[in-house]
């Protein structure tokens, strides 16, 4: 990969053969030791939103699971996760993957009877919450708002869809 432009993103929710991407994602997570338990691998694969390729090599995934969030008045939100191969963590790639995922989830939410109001994410990577830029109350590039910490001390952020009401 020479730049972010070399990366091919695939929307798994609209893919003609989503099972192929799910199978590749499971192999990818196992090879990177990101997820090891079979039950979690299968569940997470069913939650795939986007996958990213450098040529034919899978280098990143994003997933989302719809859940009711007590902290936000029991509204439905998508719990978002992404994992990028450490060898492909270049400036701008995480933004590219996440922004496409947010756009996809917002479009899906418009058709969802539960009316999800946004995306919630727990920042698990300590490198993303131990510096001035990432400690900001609002991540301006994503419009993600800091709303507190979980029991592990990890920051929680939320992105609201247009017209969301809490």
């Amino acid at each position: 990969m020479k730049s972010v432009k070399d990366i091919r993103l695939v929307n798994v929710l609209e893919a003609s053969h989503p099972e192929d991407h799910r199978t590749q994602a499971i192999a990818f997570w196992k090879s990177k030791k990101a997820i090891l338990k079979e039950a979690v691998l299968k569940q997470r694969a069913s939650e795939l939103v986007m996958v990213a390729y450098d040529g034919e090599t899978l280098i990143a995934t994003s997933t989302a699971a719809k859940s009711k969030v007590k902290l936000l008045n029991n509204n439905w939100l998508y719990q978002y996760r992404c994992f990028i191969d450490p060898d492909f963590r270049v400036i701008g790639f995480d933004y590219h993957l996440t922004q496409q995922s947010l756009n996809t989830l917002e479009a899906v939410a418009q058709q969802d009877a539960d009316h999800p109001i946004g995306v919630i994410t727990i920042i698990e990577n300590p490198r993303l919450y131990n510096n001035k830029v990432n400690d900001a109350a609002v991540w301006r590039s994503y419009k993600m708002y800091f709303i507190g910490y979980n029991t592990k001390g990890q920051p929680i952020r939320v992105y609201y869809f247009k017209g969301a009401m809490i």
Side-chain angles (χ1 to χ4, degrees):
M1 179 181 82
K2 295 177 186 142
S3 75
V4 173
K5 294 175 186 173
D6 297 325
I7 298 168
R8 176 175 54 98
L9 287 179
V10 176
N11 179 334
V12 177
L13 302 177
E14 295 178 353
S16 56
H17 300 288
E19 199 53 46
D20 294 345
H21 300 293
R22 291 184 184 114
T23 301
Q24 289 179 35
I26 288 171
F28 169 66
W29 293 325
K30 281 182 176 179
S31 74
K32 300 299 173 186
K33 296 180 175 47
I35 305 171
L36 300 175
K37 294 182 180 177
E38 281 302 317
V40 177
L41 285 161
K42 288 179 183 176
Q43 179 61 41
R44 198 69 55 82
S46 74
E47 299 166 354
L48 273 174
V49 177
M50 304 290 289
V51 289
Y53 294 91
D54 179 31
E56 295 302 312
T57 304
L58 183 66
I59 61 169
T61 59
S62 73
T63 62
K66 189 171 67 172
S67 61
K68 260 191 179 182
V69 180
K70 185 177 181 179
L71 179 65
L72 297 172
N73 295 336
N74 284 320
N75 280 292
W76 288 99
L77 287 95
Y78 296 105
Q79 183 177 353
Y80 176 76
R81 289 182 169 97
C82 71
F83 178 74
I84 299 171
D85 181 328
D87 293 336
F88 291 90
R89 292 179 182 167
V90 297
I91 294 173
F93 180 28
D94 60 331
Y95 171 79
H96 190 58
L97 175 64
T98 298
Q99 196 58 56
Q100 290 300 315
S101 298
L102 295 175
N103 292 344
T104 297
L105 292 168
E106 189 158 10
V108 168
Q110 292 175 3
Q111 308 302 317
D112 190 316
D114 291 324
H115 308 291
I117 63 166
V119 172
I120 191 165
T121 189
I122 297 168
I123 312 305
E124 296 178 17
N125 184 341
R127 290 185 215 139
L128 296 179
Y129 57 88
N130 287 331
N131 63 59
K132 189 175 179 178
V133 172
N134 292 317
D135 281 344
V138 179
W139 282 356
R140 291 186 309 205
S141 57
Y142 303 113
K143 296 182 180 114
M144 281 191 170
Y145 299 88
F146 171 78
I147 60 169
Y149 295 95
N150 67 7
T151 57
K152 295 179 182 176
Q154 298 165 320
I156 304 169
R157 292 193 172 265
V158 67
Y159 168 84
Y160 295 106
F161 297 148
K162 291 178 185 90
M165 300 288 266
I166 300 175

